[in-house]
């Protein structure tokens, strides 16, 4: 059975279980103004987050912060099951008002916390149990169900935060798959993303063939070179949209897109919103 997970930028909380009988790869990278928790029930995946790749096995938890680029793909053509949850900071506003001294969110964005892999079977079962309860409430609309959903989410966040602390104290591996050449290329793109970048041009900078660069990038971080460049540009564009009143066409030019039309298309594919809609959304949630 295949359950399709569809991200919606207009919903403050969403959870779904995705079951697949064979391998699957996201068509492109994804970025949104929400947090994400991903629990692998069965199978193994390769997960790309920001500028790093991770191997995710059954029982692992993936944590993704706001506006962090990510993409996932199968490791082989095997069955897999996972639970995916998106939620906004605003969804827990009332609980945060009650506990203003508690930080529910910042740990989700820290690089060393992206992959929780040192989890006991008992802890795995407990996390999955909380997620199953949240799944059962997905279609419920009563005030009582909404209150229970928020309390369960707050409980899950605090328990995951503590597991992250334990993993750090135990010196557990963060699961990152690294490649020295790819790291250098990523640093180069971060510095030159506003310029015209091509596969051939970047390959020549590092004295490697375009073919080798293309295969190396795809194998290491599960993104094509152009996907990665577009991701860096979209993040830079989001920052400009949030912090300036510059026109969309000026932002497109400043972040390396050749045309405004292309920028609009890539931005909407990545975020689910047009640049104008994203600006309106950001102003609404940050007023």
């Amino acid at each position: 059975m295949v359950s399709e997970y569809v991200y919606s930028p207009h919903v403050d909380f969403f959870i779904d279980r995705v079951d697949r009988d064979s391998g699957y790869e996201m068509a492109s990278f994804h970025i949104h103004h929400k947090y994400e928790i991903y629990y692998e029930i069965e199978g193994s995946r390769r997960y790309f987050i920001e500028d790093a790749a991770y191997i995710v096995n059954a029982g692992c938890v993936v944590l993704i912060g706001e506006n962090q680029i990510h993409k996932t793909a199968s490791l082989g053509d095997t069955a897999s099951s996972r639970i995916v949850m998106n939620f906004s900071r605003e969804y827990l506003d009332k609980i945060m008002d009650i506990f203003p001294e508690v930080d529910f969110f910042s740990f989700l964005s820290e690089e060393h916390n992206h992959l929780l892999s040192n989890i006991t079977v008992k802890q795995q079962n407990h996390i999955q149990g909380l997620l199953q309860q949240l799944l059962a409430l997905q279609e419920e609309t009563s005030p009582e169900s909404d209150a229970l959903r928020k309390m369960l989410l707050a409980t899950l966040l605090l328990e995951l935060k503590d597991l992250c602390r334990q993993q750090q104290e135990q010196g557990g591996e963060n699961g990152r798959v690294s490649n020295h050449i790819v790291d250098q290329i990523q640093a180069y793109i971060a510095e030159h993303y506003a310029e015209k970048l091509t596969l051939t041009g970047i390959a020549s900078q590092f004295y490697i063939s375009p073919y080798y660069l293309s295969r190396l990038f795809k194998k290491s971080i599960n993104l094509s070179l152009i996907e990665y460049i577009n991701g860096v540009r979209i993040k830079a564009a989001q920052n400009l949209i949030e912090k300036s009143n510059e026109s969309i066409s000026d932002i497109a030019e400043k972040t390396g897109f050749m045309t405004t039309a292309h920028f609009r298309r890539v931005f909407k594919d990545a975020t689910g919103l047009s640049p104008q809609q994203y600006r309106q959304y950001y102003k609404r949630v940050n007023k």
Side-chain angles (χ1 to χ4, degrees):
M1 180 184 73
V2 176
S3 172
E4 291 294 340
Y5 160 61
V6 180
Y7 167 73
S8 172
H10 307 291
V11 177
D12 283 332
F13 177 87
F14 180 82
I15 186 169
D16 194 17
R17 174 168 173 155
V18 183
D19 300 295
R20 294 188 181 276
D21 296 326
S22 57
Y24 169 76
E25 179 172 342
M26 288 175 64
S28 63
F29 68 86
H30 197 55
I31 182 170
H32 45 69
H33 198 63
K34 290 185 175 67
Y35 298 96
E36 185 166 309
I37 294 174
Y38 176 109
Y39 180 74
E40 189 76 13
I41 300 171
E42 176 190 2
S44 296
R45 307 282 293 171
R46 180 184 289 271
Y47 222 113
F48 167 78
I49 308 170
E50 292 288 275
D51 59 353
Y54 303 85
I55 302 300
V56 181
N57 296 310
C60 291
V61 181
V62 177
L63 306 175
I64 302 171
E66 293 176 304
N67 294 325
Q68 292 189 321
I69 301 168
H70 54 285
K71 181 183 178 182
T72 180
S74 301
L75 286 173
D77 191 27
T78 57
S80 63
S81 297
R82 55 239 188 235
I83 297 173
V84 185
M85 180 168 64
N86 297 123
F87 53 94
S88 67
R89 179 182 294 267
E90 295 72 36
Y91 186 67
L92 291 184
D93 270 349
K94 291 183 179 178
I95 288 180
M96 290 191 294
D97 288 343
I98 299 171
F99 303 103
E101 71 284 1
V102 177
D103 180 358
F104 286 92
F105 298 102
S106 63
F107 78 98
L108 294 165
S109 303
E110 296 171 6
E111 181 180 347
H112 54 263
N113 290 338
H114 281 322
L115 180 64
L116 265 173
S117 55
N118 297 348
I119 310 175
T120 67
V121 173
K122 183 177 180 180
Q123 290 167 335
Q124 292 172 19
N125 290 337
H126 182 60
I127 291 168
Q128 187 171 342
L130 289 171
L131 290 168
Q132 294 285 9
Q133 290 182 69
L134 286 162
L135 270 170
L137 291 167
Q138 172 72 349
E139 303 300 326
E140 300 295 328
T141 58
S142 69
E144 292 81 4
S145 297
D146 188 49
L148 180 55
R149 190 161 42 235
K150 289 175 179 176
M151 287 188 285
L152 283 169
L153 176 57
T155 299
L156 176 63
L157 289 173
L158 292 178
E159 297 199 12
L160 289 173
K161 182 179 180 179
D162 190 56
L163 287 174
C164 288
R165 178 191 59 77
Q166 291 178 40
Q167 180 166 277
Q168 281 184 265
E169 290 178 352
Q170 294 165 5
E173 293 293 325
N174 67 7
R176 176 172 178 167
V177 180
S178 184
N179 180 286
H180 180 61
I181 297 176
V182 171
D183 290 345
Q184 289 182 309
I185 294 169
Q186 289 173 322
Y188 178 83
I189 292 169
E191 186 176 350
H192 298 278
Y193 68 84
E195 304 167 16
K196 183 178 180 180
L197 295 176
T198 65
L199 177 65
T200 302
I202 294 174
S204 67
Q205 287 287 330
F206 292 89
Y207 305 101
I208 56 179
S209 74
Y211 175 76
Y212 177 71
L213 170 56
S214 180
R215 285 179 56 85
L216 178 65
F217 228 78
K218 186 70 175 177
K219 181 179 179 181
S220 297
I221 62 173
N222 193 41
L223 290 176
S224 69
L225 182 67
I226 189 60
E227 279 184 302
Y228 181 79
I229 293 170
N230 280 342
V232 173
R233 287 170 171 167
I234 290 299
K235 286 207 67 175
Q238 282 184 307
N239 187 56
L240 287 173
I241 290 171
E242 292 170 6
K243 297 180 179 178
S244 77
N245 292 316
E246 294 187 61
S247 69
I248 299 304
S249 58
D250 284 347
I251 290 173
E253 184 178 354
K254 282 188 174 183
T255 52
F257 288 94
M258 294 297 102
T259 68
T260 304
H262 180 55
F263 168 60
R264 292 179 195 274
R265 184 169 62 253
V266 174
F267 192 96
K268 187 162 187 177
D269 284 346
T271 67
L273 298 170
S274 70
Q276 294 93 331
Q277 289 172 329
Y278 182 81
R279 175 169 273 165
Q280 293 166 1
Y281 172 81
Y282 183 80
K283 287 179 178 178
R284 176 175 64 82
V285 299
N286 288 279
K287 63 182 178 181

